[in-house]
Amino acid sequence: LIRHYFQLNYLVFFEIDFQAERRAATMPPRLELIQSLDGPQQTTVWSVAWNPSGTLLASCGTDKNIRIWGEESPGNFVCKTILTDGHQRTIRSVAWSPCGRRLASASFDATCSVWERRDDFECVATLEGHESEVKSVSWSASGDLLATCSRDKSVWIWEIGRPDDGDGDELEVECASVQSAHTQDVKHVAWHPHLPVLCSTSYDDTVRLFCEDGGGDDWTCGA
């Protein structure tokens, strides 16, 4: 009886241990705090974005500046540079281009700035047209299109390129379409990861999808 008792307990213990290992294998990895990145006191941080290679992190907020963070040593991120003078009010959103050389920022000053990484980051274009705060900015998968949205209830699609003659440092930016499908503030825009399809979210409780029309001359709201 004693031998059977120990065998029974061994089997039960082994079964419990096996189940625990199986559960642990299917559980998502536990998140742990690595580091807190501290900026100016009493500054709200509104948005962060990793560059495509994961080597740089951009952050923005109410201090009207963009901070670029990089890993100085394993687990130790430091502020590499601060982008100033691009905006006059709170910066609400930042987004990296697919190539990783450009960074777009959307601000409550009703503009969107495009920065390009050379020796340092330089503001190479300022997109104007929105009548109120710009809430979000997003690059298309090709990097040739940029979308912005605003409190003015509109979504703008911009074409980004270089001048035909190849001269000059500034980008050539042209508004490809202005969409007014929403009836309230447009909060966020996001491109499909592979297709030229744009979606937007709004305080009017809807999500809208936009795509180029059949002729390719304009954009339409498909949903």
Side-chain angles (χ1 to χ4, degrees):
L1 291 173
I2 295 175
R3 184 165 60 112
H4 180 69
Y5 175 79
F6 280 116
Q7 286 178 340
L8 179 62
N9 276 270
Y10 173 79
L11 290 173
V12 171
F13 176 80
F14 179 81
E15 182 181 6
I16 294 174
D17 191 50
F18 176 77
Q19 290 178 344
E21 288 185 2
R22 184 168 57 189
R23 286 195 302 270
T26 59
M27 291 177 63
R30 190 176 68 178
L31 296 178
E32 296 181 2
L33 178 64
I34 298 175
Q35 183 183 353
S36 294
L37 306 181
D38 298 323
Q41 295 293 323
Q42 298 180 340
T43 295
T44 300
V45 180
W46 274 114
S47 178
V48 292
W50 289 101
N51 70 341
S53 63
T55 57
L56 296 175
L57 181 70
S59 65
C60 65
T62 56
D63 66 350
K64 302 175 282 189
N65 297 326
I66 300 170
R67 283 172 169 74
I68 307 296
W69 307 83
E71 198 171 26
E72 188 79 359
S73 59
N76 179 33
F77 286 82
V78 298
C79 182
K80 296 290 189 178
T81 187
I82 301 177
L83 311 185
T84 61
D85 302 327
H87 294 287
Q88 302 302 314
R89 294 184 60 192
T90 292
I91 303 176
R92 185 63 177 82
S93 176
V94 286
W96 292 92
S97 65
C99 68
R101 292 188 296 106
R102 296 170 186 163
L103 178 71
S105 56
S107 171
F108 284 0
D109 64 10
T111 70
C112 174
S113 294
V114 178
W115 309 77
E116 190 163 275
R117 188 181 185 185
R118 296 165 183 172
D119 294 335
D120 202 348
F121 285 88
E122 299 179 21
C123 184
V124 291
T126 300
L127 285 52
E128 300 178 339
H130 282 290
E131 298 176 357
S132 189
E133 303 166 354
V134 183
K135 298 292 187 71
S136 176
V137 61
S138 178
W139 291 92
S140 67
S142 66
D144 297 330
L145 297 171
L146 193 67
T148 57
C149 64
S150 170
R151 189 178 181 183
D152 64 11
K153 310 174 190 175
S154 69
V155 174
W156 288 51
I157 299 173
W158 309 82
E159 293 180 346
I160 309 292
R162 290 289 184 189
D164 293 336
D165 57 13
D167 294 333
D169 293 332
E170 292 192 1
L171 294 179
E172 188 175 76
V173 181
E174 181 180 352
C175 178
S177 182
V178 177
Q179 296 292 321
S180 301
H182 290 288
T183 59
Q184 296 294 330
D185 297 12
V186 187
K187 188 70 172 178
H188 192 76
V189 285
W191 289 95
H192 188 281
H194 308 297
L195 304 175
V197 176
L198 176 69
C199 70
S200 60
T201 63
S202 168
Y203 285 158
D204 64 11
D205 301 328
T206 66
V207 175
R208 301 288 188 177
L209 298 178
F210 304 93
C211 60
E212 284 187 291
D213 61 16
D217 296 329
D218 200 1
W219 291 74
T220 59
C221 179

